[in-house]
Amino acid sequence: MRKRSVWAWGIAIVCFIVLMIVTPAIPQSQEYHNFADQRKFLGIPNALNVVSNFPFLVIGLIGLVLCHHGNYFKLSLQGELWGWTCFYIGVAAVAFGSAYYHLKPNDARLVWDRLPMTVAFTSIIGIFIIERIDERKGTVSLIPLILAGVVSIMYWRFFDDLRPYAAVQFVPCLAIPLMAILLPPMYTHSTYWLWAAGFYLLAKIEEAADKPIYNWTYHIVSGHTVKHLCAAMVPVFLTLMLAKRDIETNRISLFQSWRISWSKTKENGAAVDSLTCTYSGVAVEESH
């Protein structure tokens, strides 16, 4: 197992190095800071983009309290407690970092927007390793993963190259749904991971459609504001999952459970068709 882990890390590092060699640098576009909704309200610049970060603070604090108050979430492993603590700290800090950035959008402030988000992303990967692969490896990987996220932001800031940050941000977007589907869970209610991933994907689409959404809503709300609210649903679903779940006694992956359900559905459908044909045959005979 240890040898396989070394090989996996080695292959990942080699792939990253090759990617950095063969792909061009991605500088931060200054157009990124030009958001559709720049209205001021009660003296707050870019008001809706600022205040729409408040849900992150609420859910982050709720998650932290429930993590540590009487073990409400029933976290059975120490690494899980550390991982979810880092996640909720990152979520709560997004409220301050993103609000600070949107008050006066520029590259220097964008660092404080991205830093807490990266802590949340990387913590989730560590949590998944703890739950689905190996407790010790996941616990040990928490700090290196968070540091990798921080380094990716520093690399962007000093070299104006977004490639490492893009990898840190988007690899979890692919890895988490795949791991949630393919790897047997330790706990019930695994589908909440997919709901969270779905809302994050929707948030990224809304972010890209900032100006079109602002126009479609007749300048009521912009895509970026809606993106904040939608992204805040990610920790909401994960918190609901933590509150509802129990230890999974029948540890099969979502993919396996879907296959079983699909097989049963097909069998039931075939049985209904057979029964229908039998009744039809009897009816024909009786008519004669």
Side-chain angles (χ1 to χ4, degrees):
M1 183 66 75
R2 181 178 178 83
K3 189 174 181 180
R4 276 192 291 173
S5 298
V6 172
W7 272 103
W9 278 107
I11 291 170
I13 291 170
V14 169
C15 289
F16 177 75
I17 291 172
V18 170
L19 185 68
M20 292 293 289
I21 292 172
V22 301
T23 59
I26 304 175
Q28 176 66 60
S29 170
Q30 294 307 297
E31 182 61 24
Y32 177 83
H33 307 303
N34 184 27
F35 296 102
D37 187 356
Q38 300 181 18
R39 293 172 296 179
K40 182 183 288 189
F41 183 68
L42 296 178
I44 303 173
N46 311 306
L48 286 183
N49 284 346
V50 172
V51 300
S52 57
N53 288 289
F54 183 68
F56 289 107
L57 178 61
V58 174
I59 192 62
L61 292 179
I62 288 173
L64 276 174
V65 170
L66 295 181
C67 272
H68 293 273
H69 181 68
N71 195 17
Y72 181 83
F73 288 147
K74 302 184 183 74
L75 301 174
S76 58
L77 305 173
Q78 187 64 43
E80 286 184 295
L81 180 61
W82 294 344
W84 285 111
T85 298
C86 290
F87 171 74
Y88 281 115
I89 287 173
V91 169
V94 165
F96 298 102
S98 186
Y100 175 70
Y101 163 65
H102 282 288
L103 286 170
K104 187 180 179 182
N106 57 47
D107 282 358
R109 289 182 175 230
L110 186 56
V111 171
W112 301 106
D113 181 18
R114 287 175 170 167
L115 191 59
M117 286 192 292
T118 303
V119 171
F121 292 144
T122 50
S123 298
I124 285 292
I125 290 292
I127 290 166
F128 246 91
I129 295 172
I130 291 170
E131 284 190 12
R132 310 276 174 138
I133 299 175
D134 184 86
E135 176 194 352
R136 189 184 67 83
K137 290 176 183 176
T139 303
V140 169
S141 69
L142 275 170
I143 292 178
L145 284 168
I146 292 172
L147 286 176
V150 173
V151 168
S152 73
I153 292 175
M154 294 302 101
Y155 185 89
W156 155 63
R157 190 69 184 101
F158 286 107
F159 297 102
D160 195 22
D161 185 359
L162 285 168
R163 286 177 297 171
Y165 174 73
V168 167
Q169 185 179 29
F170 290 109
V171 166
C173 297
L174 298 175
I176 289 173
L178 285 174
M179 291 169 74
I181 292 170
L182 298 176
L183 298 181
M186 181 186 296
Y187 300 100
T188 59
H189 293 83
S190 285
T191 51
Y192 278 79
W193 284 107
L194 301 184
W195 280 104
F199 270 97
Y200 183 76
L201 176 61
L202 181 59
K204 298 307 290 183
I205 294 171
E206 290 163 345
E207 180 180 33
D210 182 35
K211 290 181 173 64
I213 290 175
Y214 192 54
N215 292 329
W216 295 338
T217 60
Y218 297 96
H219 296 186
I220 295 173
V221 66
S222 70
H224 203 85
T225 297
V226 178
K227 173 246 184 178
H228 286 164
L229 301 177
C230 207
M233 292 301 296
V234 173
V236 168
F237 270 96
L238 295 181
T239 303
L240 289 173
M241 177 193 71
L242 289 171
K244 289 172 173 286
R245 71 183 190 177
D246 292 302
I247 297 292
E248 179 63 82
T249 54
N250 184 23
R251 292 194 65 175
I252 62 172
S253 68
L254 282 174
F255 180 70
Q256 289 174 306
S257 67
W258 291 342
R259 286 185 63 184
I260 293 170
S261 298
W262 175 247
S263 298
K264 288 181 178 179
T265 302
K266 287 177 67 178
E267 289 173 4
N268 292 337
V272 169
D273 290 341
S274 176
L275 195 60
T276 302
C277 290
T278 301
Y279 282 138
S280 298
V282 171
V284 169
E285 289 177 6
E286 288 178 350
S287 67
H288 290 291

